[in-house]
Amino acid sequence: GAVVSQHPSWVICKSGTSVKIECRSLDFQATTMFWYRQFPKQSLMLMATSNEGSKATYEQGVEKDKFLINHASLTLSTLTVTSAHPEDSSFYICSARGSIYEQYFGPGTRLTVT
Amino acid sequence: DAKTTQPPSMDCAEGRAANLPCNHSTISGNEYVYWYRQIHSQGPQYIIHGLKNNETNEMASLIITEDRKSSTLILPHATLRDTAVYYCIVRSGGSEKLVFGKGTKLTVNP
């Protein structure tokens, strides 16, 4: 099946700094990628939809200036958490649309802000 | 908001069939039923999807009622590695978004 990777798998950063998370589709091209956030013992929450070559579409309540998304190629989307705060600590998961029917998820990135 | 209702938790004995129910009484004609699962601290894994016919693949079977208001995911011979949270999601063919509900935490016991 299609493989989606994320890097890093975990990261610890200090409050006020920025951190970038990469999402790559390894064996297929993805015009659309998605970014989710998951807090402990909660379900996944969609943050934004990322389309190659265009601006991301953010879900209601997600700050676009804080969570910068770039989808510069058909195999790479990045999420940058700017000026991170402890409340941004979460599990960030990306997915890539393979066909119209299927989305493939990455393994997730655990972000801890101290 | 999620359009599905699932029991919060279920238990199953190893080697037995696990039957996970899902209610989607407001499903519309062009909406598909998807099942994903998430093993602890990993990304979700696609299992199966269907529109109105029953579907089977190497992982599971999906049984959709004739009125399409509910469905059941069947893992025919559950193993300990099937312990995970299972999400039933309704999505239209024209929509790209997957909206996750709370899912069912399945625990397979030895």
Side-chain angles (χ1 to χ4, degrees), chain A residues 52-71:
Chain A
E52 187 264 338
S54 64
K55 291 184 178 180
T57 301
Y58 291 80
E59 294 298 302
Q60 191 172 9
V62 177
E63 300 174 59
K64 59 182 67 176
D65 294 331
K66 181 170 183 61
F67 298 100
L68 302 180
I69 292 172
N70 185 288
H71 192 159

Side-chain angles (χ1 to χ4, degrees), chain A residues 5-81:
Chain A
S5 71
Q6 283 186 240
H7 178 79
S9 56
W10 60 270
V11 58
I12 301 173
C13 72
K14 293 188 176 181
S15 187
T17 62
S18 296
V19 61
K20 180 185 286 188
I21 302 169
E22 293 184 349
C23 176
R24 294 183 184 271
S25 55
L26 297 186
D27 50 2
F28 67 102
Q29 293 184 330
T31 56
T32 304
M33 292 184 174
F34 305 87
W35 287 96
Y36 295 81
R37 179 167 53 179
Q38 186 175 33
F39 292 107
K41 298 189 178 182
Q42 294 187 22
S43 187
L44 285 79
M45 283 181 44
L46 179 65
M47 299 176 67
T49 301
S50 166
N51 291 298
E52 187 264 338
S54 64
K55 291 184 178 180
T57 301
Y58 291 80
E59 294 298 302
Q60 191 172 9
V62 177
E63 300 174 59
K64 59 182 67 176
D65 294 331
K66 181 170 183 61
F67 298 100
L68 302 180
I69 292 172
N70 185 288
H71 192 159
S73 78
L74 290 172
T75 59
L76 173 64
S77 176
T78 60
L79 168 68
T80 301
V81 183

